Amino acid sequence: LAAPLGRSLAVGALAAILAVIVAMLCEWRGDQTQRPPPAWWSALLYLPLLVPQLAFLFGLQTALLGAGIPPGMATLVLVHLVFVLPYVVLSLSDPWRAQDRRYLQMALSLGRNRLVAYFAVKLPLLAPALATAAAVGFAVSVGLYLPTLIVGAGRLPTVTTEAVRLAPGHSLAHINLGSLHDRLGDIDAARRHYRRARELEPANLGSWSSELYCLSHDASADPREVFAAHRAFGDHVDARFGAQAAPHAN
């Protein structure tokens, strides 16, 4: 797990640092203009929190592919930044705006230019808030599973993706992985995860049904195999629920 751990630390640190810098620039602009951020910026910033993650990620992946941007560390950091930035802005905005402006005005009155005053006065006073925002951003980045798996195309594992992969008794994780691979067009991998979920939780017929769905849409599958798999599913359901079925008049 050394490589996934190192990748998680590197991506998390870079995403958190970039998010803090962008959040600081946004707040600095607000100080200069004395106006709230434009509505379009707020809508764009919080879009990853409002839209279902899976739908948002497929749209983002389509945009990346259309732009010809290949999977890689830089792409992964940028995608993590998209999800980390809203949390960092929320963590930093209140402490930034609550700070007494007189400290900065006093520094300016002593002949310091605004940029030097920010670095010499405002940012040191905000050091605890900046550290907290960075810690929040790092924690969000480390916990991102689907963005890492989809954008990294499964070739950039982190501790989170490895933890899910190695979870031996987590049937829901395998169902989610099966659904993800199905959407990515990897039918074989989807069936493997659905089959593993069925082995872990035999009472859950949803994983078996999803596996049959993938099998039915696999162009390379033998029709006899498809028929036998559906027949086995039907026999299982009949043995489990047949006695409970109400008789029909016809």
Side-chain angles (χ1 to χ4, degrees):
L1 293 177
L5 177 59
R7 185 173 293 109
S8 293
L9 295 176
V11 172
L14 288 172
I17 291 171
L18 289 174
V20 169
I21 292 173
V22 173
M24 288 170 51
L25 292 175
C26 292
E27 295 299 335
W28 180 80
R29 180 188 179 280
D31 288 346
Q32 302 304 306
T33 61
Q34 294 296 310
R35 289 183 296 181
W40 66 266
W41 166 249
S42 298
L44 191 64
L45 176 65
Y46 297 114
L47 189 64
L49 305 183
L50 302 175
V51 178
Q53 191 178 82
L54 193 58
F56 181 82
L57 280 170
F58 276 110
L60 186 60
Q61 185 189 36
T62 301
L64 292 174
L65 292 175
I69 301 176
M73 278 290 291
T75 306
L76 189 60
V77 170
L78 291 177
V79 170
H80 276 224
L81 177 62
V82 170
F83 290 91
V84 166
L85 185 58
Y87 293 96
V88 172
V89 170
L90 288 172
S91 300
L92 187 59
S93 59
D94 284 345
W96 185 288
R97 297 169 191 175
Q99 191 185 62
D100 196 336
R101 295 178 180 272
R102 289 176 294 181
Y103 291 112
L104 188 61
Q105 292 171 355
M106 187 177 297
L108 294 174
S109 68
L110 293 174
R112 299 285 186 178
N113 65 53
R114 187 170 293 274
L115 186 61
V116 173
Y118 263 90
F119 278 97
V121 178
K122 193 174 184 72
L123 295 187
L125 292 173
L126 284 170
L130 292 172
T132 301
V136 170
F138 179 80
V140 171
S141 175
V142 170
L144 289 175
Y145 170 67
L146 286 179
T148 304
L149 192 64
I150 293 178
V151 176
R155 297 193 291 269
L156 298 172
T158 62
V159 289
T160 304
T161 59
E162 288 298 286
V164 174
R165 184 180 68 85
L166 297 173
H170 200 338
S171 63
L172 182 58
H174 287 283
I175 292 175
N176 290 335
L177 284 170
S179 176
L180 178 61
H181 283 290
D182 180 23
R183 289 176 178 269
L184 292 174
D186 192 347
I187 301 298
D188 290 337
R191 289 183 59 194
R192 285 198 304 271
H193 284 291
Y194 285 136
R195 191 178 305 116
R196 180 58 180 158
R198 179 158 57 92
E199 293 170 355
L200 294 170
E201 193 178 357
N204 187 349
L205 297 178
S207 57
W208 197 348
S209 175
S210 297
E211 182 187 353
L212 292 176
Y213 175 84
C214 291
L215 179 62
S216 300
H217 289 79
D218 186 357
S220 62
D222 186 344
R224 290 171 294 184
E225 179 190 2
V226 176
F227 176 80
H230 282 80
R231 179 74 177 269
F233 179 76
D235 292 341
H236 177 82
V237 172
D238 183 63
R240 183 175 171 184
F241 301 106
Q244 305 174 17
H248 291 276
N250 59 352

